[in-house]
Amino acid sequence: MTLTDRVAVVTGASRGIGLACAEAFLDAGMQVYALARSTDDLEAHRERLGERLHPVRCDVTDVASVDAAFAQIDVESSRCDVLVNNAGLGKFGPVDDLPLDAWNVQIETNLNGVFYCTRRAVPLMKRQFEATSTDDAPGYGGHIIHIASVAGLVGNPQLAAYNATKFGLRGFAEATMKELRPHGIRTTCIYPGSVDTHFGDVAGITMSPNAMKPEDIAASVLHAVQMPVRTLVSEIVLRPLRVGK
């Protein structure tokens, strides 16, 4: 699939997997709308990466903020070819000692944020599908990528809240994949294992030196997007090659 001058929207794009995805899309010739709660880092990335990176302030837990971001994208570009729902966080601890705030912020970010962004991207993609459909062939709407986790496949002690959000994301991804494919919209859910990002610091865990790099995940995201438009890669599971300390 040719990506030159197509539009990608990436949430949580100021660092880690989100930034790596933005860079991969830029290398492929795309225009990238990079969403994050603060645009300071994004502005610095734009100076380094060029004017095809468009910083947009957006808090995915705030529906008004998401609506404003996608309204800006629609006005400036009139399209959304790829959405990467990457923004997420984890706060681990015993289920009987986990603060309510820690539970709520994970639900609001890892689930609500995905829903808020998806519901705004889908109308743009449906519009693209209708505009490119002919009597002889259906059109192409776009591609939604969800960055989940292997914690969405297997439950673990101390991870009840995080597991709940990622298992929920898996269900959301599968349901919307079946709902949106008739509109030419592909949905892919990616389940990474350990990735060397700031996530470990926020979650209070130490990442293995064998952990994958954000660029590894971004390469799989780009691969899924570049697959022939008649194909649908619905799930990708990625784990570090080497295990142990």
Side-chain angles (χ1 to χ4, degrees), residues 65-111:
S65 179
V66 172
D67 287 347
F70 276 85
Q72 176 184 339
I73 293 165
D74 192 13
V75 168
E76 293 181 1
S77 70
S78 300
R79 61 186 306 113
C80 174
D81 297 289
V82 178
L83 167 65
V84 180
N85 282 314
N86 166 72
L89 56 84
K91 293 182 179 292
F92 306 159
V95 68
D96 57 338
D97 194 38
L98 189 71
L100 289 179
D101 287 349
W103 171 272
N104 289 333
V105 73
Q106 292 177 87
I107 297 292
E108 291 166 358
T109 306
N110 301 353
L111 279 179

Side-chain angles (χ1 to χ4, degrees), residues 2-222:
T2 301
L3 299 181
T4 302
D5 290 331
R6 300 214 177 214
V7 173
V9 179
V10 182
T11 69
S14 62
R15 54 187 174 179
I17 293 173
L19 177 58
C21 288
E23 292 177 329
F25 290 144
L26 290 170
D27 288 343
M30 300 186 76
Q31 301 284 337
V32 178
Y33 282 85
L35 277 54
R37 287 179 296 177
S38 172
T39 58
D40 291 346
D41 289 339
L42 294 177
E43 292 291 352
H45 295 319
R46 177 171 179 162
E47 290 183 10
R48 176 173 60 89
L49 297 171
E51 294 185 354
R52 284 188 289 110
L53 181 74
H54 308 275
V56 179
R57 185 186 180 282
C58 180
D59 179 353
V60 298
T61 69
D62 181 347
V63 66
S65 179
V66 172
D67 287 347
F70 276 85
Q72 176 184 339
I73 293 165
D74 192 13
V75 168
E76 293 181 1
S77 70
S78 300
R79 61 186 306 113
C80 174
D81 297 289
V82 178
L83 167 65
V84 180
N85 282 314
N86 166 72
L89 56 84
K91 293 182 179 292
F92 306 159
V95 68
D96 57 338
D97 194 38
L98 189 71
L100 289 179
D101 287 349
W103 171 272
N104 289 333
V105 73
Q106 292 177 87
I107 297 292
E108 291 166 358
T109 306
N110 301 353
L111 279 179
N112 291 354
V114 169
F115 171 62
Y116 296 156
C117 292
T118 301
R119 69 189 287 270
R120 287 306 304 259
V122 165
L124 299 179
M125 293 181 176
K126 285 183 176 180
R127 187 173 71 195
Q128 290 158 194
F129 172 71
E130 293 169 359
T132 56
S133 294
T134 67
D135 292 337
D136 298 325
Y140 180 73
H143 199 145
I144 299 172
I145 305 276
H146 301 298
I147 305 299
S149 167
V150 291
L153 304 173
V154 179
N156 298 98
Q158 312 286 318
L159 272 68
Y162 187 68
N163 281 140
T165 64
K166 295 304 183 180
F167 269 79
L169 178 54
R170 184 186 187 191
F172 181 81
E174 183 172 346
T176 54
M177 179 269 290
K178 294 176 179 178
E179 176 182 335
L180 297 175
R181 63 196 300 189
H183 301 279
I185 300 172
R186 301 191 290 190
T187 301
T188 303
C189 197
I190 297 184
Y191 304 91
S194 299
V195 183
D196 184 14
T197 69
H198 71 288
F199 179 91
D201 297 333
V202 175
I205 59 176
T206 301
M207 288 294 180
S208 165
N210 295 323
M212 296 177 289
K213 300 297 182 183
E215 294 77 13
D216 302 329
I217 313 306
S220 290
V221 169
L222 186 62

Side-chain angles (χ1 to χ4, degrees), residues 140 181 186 227-232:
Y140 180 73
R181 63 196 300 189
R186 301 191 290 190
M227 288 290 290
V229 294
R230 62 184 174 272
T231 66
L232 169 60

